[in-house]
Amino acid sequence: MSLQKMLEYQKTDLVYYRQEKELRESEERKRAVLCKNKFIECNNSLQELSKALSGYFAAMQKLAAKITETEEMKEQLSAEAEFKTEDDFIQYENQLQEYEKIVNELSKEFTKVTKSIADAAAQNRAINDKMDALNREYMNSTQAFNKKKTEFETKTQAIRATLDNLAKDIEPNYLKQYMELRKNKKMPAFVPYMDKNCGACGMDIFIEVDKKLQNPGDIAECPHCGRIVYKK
Ligand SMILES: [Zn+2]
């Protein structure tokens, strides 16, 4: 008797379930989800970029310190220079040239890092613009989806009331198992035992369930798909 109620409930619920599925798979929802995913993607790129920028800044600070250090060494060299012989002078000149070479190299590096920072900043702006656009699109698509959802709720009000009424007469344990299967999108959840086979997945379940399915209305769980199999 209670199984009969359960099956009645399922029959009505299948109509509601299809409508729910339609809403879930609607263009409006797909668009909103797509926007959201793209937004998350952008956000990740932004974080990557931020990490790269921190690295560039650290490199720049190091370089700046090195340049200062090298220049200080050069000044010290000039201050302490003594030219007793021509060789002293030549040696001094050589050292000076060496320092200039190092400073030039460092300056070049510095320019390179500065350019990387500028590039990253431009990229950052581009991503931010893209995120602004995505955010607007997300708002629009969400609005469209919410409208559709409200329509759905109005449209399904009667069927939901019917289901609530039917649910009152069903054994709680049946309903609980049904809802669990429904949540996992295993619909229909209650299926007939058909000639040794599960009425949903079609597997031969004779060995596992036949003993439990002796009288009409008996139920058992299909060991393959997890649905509830009942004896007609
Ligand atoms: Zn099955």
Side-chain angles (χ1 to χ4, degrees), residues 112-130:
K112 223 164 87 184
V113 177
T114 310
K115 193 183 172 299
S116 297
I117 290 173
D119 287 349
Q123 238 176 305
N124 189 55
R125 269 194 303 277
I127 294 175
N128 269 315
D129 288 348
K130 199 174 158 192

Side-chain angles (χ1 to χ4, degrees), residues 191 197-203 205 221-229:
V191 291
N197 300 328
C198 165
C201 71
M203 296 295 281
I205 51 176
E221 190 181 314
C222 168
H224 297 282
C225 68
R227 288 180 175 82
I228 304 300
V229 186

Side-chain angles (χ1 to χ4, degrees), residues 37-49:
N37 289 344
K38 276 189 190 166
F39 195 85
I40 292 169
E41 238 171 67
C42 279
N43 209 19
N44 288 343
S45 321
L46 215 56
Q47 271 170 13
E48 287 293 314
L49 204 59

Side-chain angles (χ1 to χ4, degrees), residues 9 22 28 42 51 60 64 75-76 91 102 110 114 121 129 137 141 144 154 156 169 182 197-198 201 208:
Y9 181 96
E22 249 176 54
E28 287 86 347
C42 279
K51 244 187 261 170
M60 195 168 79
E75 274 162 26
Q76 214 175 354
Q91 200 193 354
I102 295 169
F110 194 81
T114 310
D129 288 348
E137 206 185 321
S141 49
T154 312
T156 57
D169 299 327
R182 189 189 200 277
N197 300 328
C198 165
C201 71
E208 296 97 332

Side-chain angles (χ1 to χ4, degrees), residues 110-167:
F110 194 81
T111 309
K112 223 164 87 184
V113 177
T114 310
K115 193 183 172 299
S116 297
I117 290 173
D119 287 349
Q123 238 176 305
N124 189 55
R125 269 194 303 277
I127 294 175
N128 269 315
D129 288 348
K130 199 174 158 192
M131 281 171 97
D132 275 348
L134 277 171
N135 198 26
R136 275 194 300 275
E137 206 185 321
Y138 179 67
M139 302 270 246
N140 286 340
S141 49
T142 305
Q143 222 169 25
F145 175 68
N146 283 341
K147 193 172 159 244
K148 186 138 186 145
K149 203 173 157 197
T150 309
E151 282 167 11
F152 165 81
E153 269 156 18
T154 312
K155 197 172 77 179
T156 57
Q157 208 169 6
I159 198 165
R160 277 182 289 124
T162 307
L163 286 169
D164 284 348
N165 258 330
L166 288 168

